[in-house]
Amino acid sequence: MTRVFSGIQPTGEQHLGNFLGATRNWAKMQHETDAFFCVVDLHAITIRHDDRAAVRDGSVRLAQMLMAVGLDPEVCTLFVQSHVREHAELSWIMQCNVSYGELSRMTQFKDKSDQHDFISAGLFTYPALQAADILLYDTDEVPVGDDQRQHIEITRDIAERFNYHYGETFVLPEAVIPAAGARVMDLQQPTSKMSKSLDSPKGTVGLLDEPKQIEKKIKSAVTDNDGTVRFEVAEKPGISNLLSILGAATDRDPASLADEYEQYGPLKTDTAAAVIELLEPVQARYRELEADPAETARLLKLGADKAREIANSTMERVRTNVGLLTD
Ligand code: ATP
Ligand code: LTN
């Protein structure tokens, strides 16, 4: 059976981009594959947080949101990265098998290092930890949004190099990027991706936003003065983003949706209505799950136990192949 792995950071609130680009597809894939989904708290600490509870509480809330979106811990393996120590161990070995030059070319590092004063070494070597996450589980497919393409490529490069030098050890993973919703853009700055770290509250639709807020944000989305509804990402980023969101929410092709609108107003109204309808059941389930953090902790422990078994056996193979003294 195809093995699937993906990760998501417990920082900030989940937004529409995370849902349409990643987590909604995870919920579908869990039924057809052997799927592992990880709350990557060790990735979250590459950026320094003043409030220590932020990551800890964020992990519980994110796990609850993932369940609200449809991940079923009885069907897939849902766990927290730091609960499986092998991630950190393999990450070191990955750091020793990736070059400074390769890491320097990562666009996420360039973007994020511009946004912070303290640039940790961990922010720079972040792709080595991500490669460890993926390779620990003999992953065939990694469902992610479009922004993660480069990180999956570098994971393949590291795995290929490792296999060449140390003998066949890792499965080479493939990125799985959705046809619709892979790159949801910020509503106020439609040339930047909707993101937790952009600090654009009016341009970001939170999965827990009230219907009225969602409507307001979508209705005040930045568009252009051209006045015609066309799907042309480069020329009309704002309108194309709304068409993409409406298309992803209603399972329609954004370019053909454009033919149905002559004015921006109705497009915005329909997009807002579709998003509100899409998120309503997620919000209702989240409210139920939020009430029982002890149950969430129990489910996460079961997930970590399951993940650890596989991670353990991969690490034994890696230690032997890399030439460490094993007992
Ligand atoms: P940050 O912007 O702080 O890096 P993020 O919002 O990208 O955070 P992550 O936890 O890094 O969130 O990403 C989780 C998943 O959501 C990844 O698979 C990523 O590709 C996807 N994703 C994030 N933003 C978008 C977006 N705007 N459109 C589509 N997919 C997205
Ligand atoms: N880097 C990713 C999060 C992430 C991930 C992973 C995704 C960490 N480990 C493994 C897929 C597979 C991000 O910033 N979205």
Side-chain angles (χ1 to χ4, degrees):
M1 202 192 237
T2 304
R3 172 71 56 74
V4 162
F5 181 97
S6 200
I8 185 158
Q9 301 196 53
T11 41
E13 297 305 323
Q14 288 292 295
H15 55 73
L16 191 62
N18 298 132
F19 182 59
L20 295 179
T23 56
R24 177 171 78 148
N25 307 308
W26 300 0
K28 288 186 197 144
M29 288 174 95
Q30 68 182 336
H31 298 290
E32 300 134 27
T33 60
D34 183 17
F36 286 68
F37 299 112
C38 185
V39 172
V40 293
D41 54 350
L42 297 175
H43 279 94
I45 61 168
T46 54
I47 305 287
R48 211 162 49 187
H49 298 274
D50 295 330
D51 174 12
R52 269 183 301 153
V55 176
R56 199 169 48 222
D57 297 349
S59 292
V60 176
R61 276 207 312 275
L62 175 55
Q64 290 170 336
M65 181 50 88
L66 292 174
M67 290 190 258
V69 159
L71 296 191
D72 179 350
E74 309 262 327
V75 176
C76 65
T77 306
L78 175 63
F79 69 106
V80 175
Q81 187 182 33
S82 65
H83 292 179
V84 180
R85 311 282 193 244
E86 285 76 6
H87 287 253
E89 183 181 0
L90 185 58
S91 159
W92 176 252
I93 296 178
M94 296 292 100
Q95 286 180 58
C96 298
N97 284 280
V98 65
S99 73
Y100 179 82
E102 283 173 305
L103 292 175
S104 307
R105 287 193 287 277
M106 294 293 116
T107 51
Q108 183 170 300
F109 173 71
K110 290 182 208 162
D111 293 346
K112 294 212 169 170
S113 54
D114 279 347
Q115 293 165 16
H116 300 276
D117 297 331
F118 180 78
I119 303 167
S120 71
L123 187 64
F124 185 63
T125 60
Y126 178 115
L129 177 58
Q130 183 163 349
D133 299 340
I134 297 169
L135 300 177
L136 264 181
Y137 298 94
D138 291 337
T139 303
D140 300 299
E141 294 183 355
V142 189
V144 280
D146 184 67
D147 61 306
Q148 292 300 309
R149 246 177 233 281
Q150 205 185 19
H151 284 159
I152 313 306
E153 268 315 302
I154 197 174
T155 300
R156 284 177 67 91
D157 292 345
I158 300 173
E160 241 179 331
R161 177 177 312 136
F162 191 102
N163 287 349
Y164 178 78
H165 284 290
Y166 297 113
E168 206 56 34
T169 310
F170 295 124
V171 171
L172 297 194
E174 306 261 0
V176 177
I177 316 253
R183 201 168 178 79
V184 177
M185 308 308 274
D186 185 274
L187 297 171
Q188 289 296 317
Q189 302 169 52
T191 50
S192 302
K193 77 158 190 142
M194 190 177 282
S195 149
K196 295 174 216 158
S197 44
L198 193 64
D199 195 23
S200 167
K202 289 190 185 140
T204 308
V205 176
L207 295 190
L208 294 175
D209 282 356
E210 299 285 335
K212 282 241 162 319
Q213 277 175 291
I214 300 177
E215 194 177 2
K216 191 163 174 215
K217 287 178 187 181
I218 293 181
K219 288 203 166 159
S220 40
V222 166
T223 53
D224 53 54
N225 299 324
D226 152 85
T228 60
V229 178
R230 283 175 289 131
F231 185 70
E232 275 175 30
V233 175
E235 235 181 276
K236 297 175 66 66
I239 289 296
S240 303
N241 190 34
L242 292 173
L243 287 166
S244 294
I245 294 172
L246 179 60
T250 57
D251 257 330
R252 300 269 318 269
D253 170 49
S256 65
L257 272 174
D259 299 337
E260 295 172 19
Y261 293 93
E262 282 175 3
Q263 287 173 326
Y264 295 175
L267 171 63
K268 286 182 166 178
T269 308
D270 288 0
T271 306
V275 170
I276 292 167
E277 193 183 322
L278 187 69
L279 296 187
E280 198 213 65
V282 175
Q283 299 187 342
R285 272 198 301 270
Y286 182 83
R287 298 292 171 218
E288 286 168 23
L289 291 159
E290 173 180 56
D292 196 353
E295 174 62 3
T296 307
R298 188 187 71 84
L299 292 168
L300 288 173
K301 185 173 178 310
L302 289 181
D305 291 345
K306 226 165 114 196
R308 203 173 294 117
E309 260 177 53
I310 298 176
N312 246 313
S313 90
T314 309
M315 266 329 289
E316 277 180 27
R317 194 164 80 223
V318 173
R319 288 185 207 110
T320 305
N321 291 1
V322 88
L324 300 176
L325 177 63
T326 52
D327 46 28

